[in-house]
Amino acid sequence: ADQDQKSEWYVSPAKGTTIMFLVEAALGKEHVITKDDSSLTRAPQGFDSVLALGKCAPPKSIDLSIDDKNVKVACGKPKAVAKAKSSNFDQNEFLIYHESQHRIRYVLAFDS
């Protein structure tokens, strides 16, 4: 997800603390969907990941250099995405299917 609110839907506090991970993900070529597809157990042939396109998303991204690699980081107050008006998803969700496609960068712990 490119918005923490989306990720919060998937976590439950334990003993008053919520823990989330901020990961770097290698998305490669994205297959875009606007409706839930429970048959997706891997990215379709020719694609590396799936983007569930949300109705709103951060309006821009910035380029950062981390460990001598250029990465894009979404930023800004979410805005409506014109091409996603009919999407079933409120916010973007990025689906990867191989553990090697991500690296945990930060562990976030906050009071619930």
Side-chain angles (χ1 to χ4, degrees):
D2 53 13
Q3 298 176 59
D4 62 270
Q5 298 90 341
K6 177 70 172 185
S7 298
E8 285 180 54
W9 294 346
Y10 294 100
V11 298
S12 298
K15 298 182 182 180
T17 301
T18 298
I19 297 175
M20 292 192 323
F21 302 105
L22 180 61
V23 303
E24 176 183 349
L27 300 174
K29 187 175 179 184
E30 300 171 335
H31 173 70
V32 179
I33 61 173
T34 56
K35 294 182 178 24
D36 192 26
D37 184 351
S38 60
S39 71
L40 287 171
T41 57
R42 63 177 185 254
Q45 188 168 351
F47 295 91
D48 303 299
S49 64
V50 173
L51 166 59
L53 186 63
K55 293 177 187 170
C56 69
K60 60 182 178 178
S61 63
I62 57 173
D63 292 319
L64 296 176
S65 179
I66 299 176
D67 294 339
D68 295 324
K69 294 180 183 175
N70 291 327
V71 297
K72 290 193 178 296
V73 178
C75 62
K77 184 177 179 179
K79 295 185 178 184
V81 176
K83 64 183 177 181
K85 284 183 183 179
S86 63
S87 179
N88 288 354
F89 307 105
D90 291 324
Q91 298 159 317
N92 291 336
E93 186 167 348
F94 302 89
L95 309 170
I96 55 174
Y97 298 88
H98 302 286
E99 191 173 335
S100 62
Q101 286 180 265
H102 84 285
R103 178 169 37 167
I104 296 173
R105 286 297 192 168
Y106 299 97
V107 177
L108 310 170
F110 49 94
D111 295 333
S112 303

